[in-house]
Amino acid sequence: MSHARHTGFARLTQKDVSAAAARHEMLYSGRMGGARAVFAFCDLAGLDLSGRNLADADFTGAILEEVNFEGAKLDSASFFGADLRRTNLAGASLRRADMRGASLRGANLIGADLYEADLREGTIAEKDRYGNLRVLQHDIGAAELPAAMMNSANLERARMTGAVAVQADFTDAVMKGVRLTRANLRQARLTGANLENADLSGCNLTGADLAGCILIGTKMDFATTHGADMTQTLTANTPPDPEAVANIEKLLAGHSRWAESDGREGVPADLSGQDLRHVSNLAHRTLTALIAPHAVLYGVNLEGASLQGSNLSGCDLRSAKLGGADLRGVNFSGAQINHADLRDCKLGPLLIAGTRLLPARLDNAQARYADLRGADMRRARMSGCDLSYANLTDCDMRDTETDGADFTGAKLPGRFAEALMASA
């Protein structure tokens, strides 16, 4: 594709930018001959800087249309007033980057890390508004290009006051503590996004899709939500009903006695659809064969718990702590396990009735960004499971069923990755 030339901007070649990036990396690693990369007011349109370390580099006002920054390290870099239309920033690290006044219309930021990035004042979809930088104004029509793709991006504590993100896609983005005051999110897609403690005061959410959003502690004073889809949003259950919590505690105590005594004492609990976020001390509890489909366990600490053979289908376990838990034979089918910590958990088969093996089920579960390092997942049924960007390093995945599973961007154990490539 040909790129329009911009008067007054120095046009750089691939050789120019590669050499500058190499010198910047030398500086960053403390080697002789290094120099900071300064691309301010330069034209880099269409060039490739994927995977390069350009943290703290200066891209002020630069023309960066369709540049490939995939997987690049751009922490604390300056993109003030830059033209980043249709730029590929997938998986890039942009922590604390200055992106004020940048044009990101149609940019790909899927899986990018924008922790504490500064995206204020019309950055996502519109031309910049700084009259003193008129040379940087990107004069395009409002509907000429598709909106920014920020699916699964980390925008925690990012500053987006007044940002224009019309029709932008924030599906499953982490947006904890993000400042979106007066932002224009009309018809934006925020399905499953985590907006815990975010400030959306005065935000325009007309026609936006917030289905399944986490809105715990979210400020929405004077926000416009006409026509917005707010179904299945997770909000704070405060103040919790003390009587209801006490009743759940009693049921769990009885269940633990039943499990620990092999059924001689206590009674098994049925907690289907219950909100268990306010139950204390679930870590290291004996909760074998717990029946709790569609229960809310968002952010709950279940580290080291014994949950083998439990029915947790359709549960909301997003950001839950399950490290070291015994989950042999557990039913997680259709559950939401995004961002959950499952390090070193047992997700292998459960031996029942002497010889029969009951495999763990994760079919059609959502486990995006789940941390499964070192987990035992032998024989697990994961058909249709979404494991995008999950960390499966050192997992034992022998004899797993993975038909239709999505491993986009996931870190996979060597042998399993090789087998997956061979079957592709």
Side-chain angles (χ1 to χ4, degrees), residues 89-410:
L89 288 153
S93 183
L94 291 144
R95 294 171 76 87
R96 300 184 180 86
D98 183 355
M99 307 184 82
R100 289 172 297 157
S103 174
L104 282 156
R105 180 177 275 277
N108 178 359
L109 290 122
I110 296 172
D113 186 352
L114 291 117
Y115 178 82
E116 288 191 349
D118 195 342
L119 291 133
R120 288 176 291 176
E121 299 309 324
T123 57
I124 301 298
E126 296 287 319
K127 64 185 181 182
D128 68 70
R129 301 171 181 176
Y130 296 90
N132 58 325
L133 290 174
R134 280 176 298 179
V135 68
L136 301 178
Q137 291 185 352
H138 313 306
D139 203 9
I140 57 170
E144 279 185 31
L145 298 164
M149 297 177 288
M150 305 187 87
N151 323 42
S152 302
N154 178 16
L155 286 152
E156 185 171 354
R157 295 178 60 182
R159 290 174 286 174
M160 300 178 71
T161 301
V164 178
V166 177
Q167 296 182 333
D169 192 343
F170 296 95
T171 302
D172 293 317
V174 177
M175 302 174 78
K176 291 182 182 178
V178 70
R179 279 179 265 172
L180 277 158
T181 317
R182 303 187 315 280
N184 187 351
L185 291 164
R186 190 165 44 85
Q187 295 183 324
R189 186 176 174 85
L190 291 140
T191 318
N194 189 339
L195 284 154
E196 186 174 342
N197 297 322
D199 189 351
L200 277 72
S201 304
C203 206
N204 184 355
L205 291 160
T206 304
D209 185 354
L210 288 100
C213 247
I214 296 167
L215 296 172
I216 298 167
T218 308
K219 292 180 183 176
M220 298 185 72
D221 305 335
F222 308 110
T224 305
T225 57
H226 180 71
D229 185 351
M230 308 280 282
T231 55
Q232 295 184 311
T233 53
L234 187 63
T235 55
N237 184 20
T238 53
D241 182 350
E243 190 176 331
V245 173
N247 184 50
I248 291 172
E249 295 268 17
K250 185 178 177 181
L251 290 171
L252 285 167
H255 186 92
S256 291
R257 285 200 308 277
W258 171 78
E260 288 163 354
S261 67
D262 291 326
R264 291 187 296 274
E265 298 176 28
V267 288
D270 186 341
L271 296 169
S272 301
Q274 295 290 329
D275 189 340
L276 306 179
R277 285 179 285 168
H278 299 287
V279 177
S280 60
N281 299 323
L282 284 177
H284 305 287
R285 289 278 291 271
T286 303
L287 299 167
T288 308
L290 182 68
I291 299 170
H294 302 288
V296 178
L297 289 149
Y298 169 79
V300 169
N301 186 356
L302 287 155
E303 290 176 344
S306 295
L307 285 156
Q308 58 268 46
S310 293
N311 181 1
L312 300 173
S313 59
C315 275
D316 187 345
L317 284 147
R318 287 176 290 181
S319 300
K321 297 176 181 176
L322 289 149
D326 190 343
L327 303 168
R328 288 173 297 158
V330 77
N331 182 0
F332 276 145
S333 59
Q336 297 180 73
I337 324 171
N338 301 334
H339 296 279
D341 183 354
L342 294 126
R343 284 174 292 177
D344 299 314
C345 71
K346 297 175 184 174
L347 264 167
L350 179 66
L351 184 64
I352 55 175
T355 56
R356 187 167 156 238
L357 288 173
L358 178 69
R361 291 184 56 186
L362 288 94
D363 41 301
N364 299 313
Q366 295 177 17
R368 291 184 285 275
Y369 282 96
D371 190 345
L372 286 146
R373 283 175 289 173
D376 179 358
M377 302 183 73
R378 288 172 297 165
R379 294 178 184 264
R381 293 180 180 173
M382 298 189 289
S383 299
C385 182
D386 187 349
L387 287 145
S388 305
Y389 305 101
N391 192 342
L392 295 150
T393 308
D394 297 325
C395 271
D396 189 343
M397 299 183 72
R398 285 176 288 175
D399 303 315
T400 52
E401 292 181 17
T402 58
D403 293 342
D406 188 348
F407 293 103
T408 303

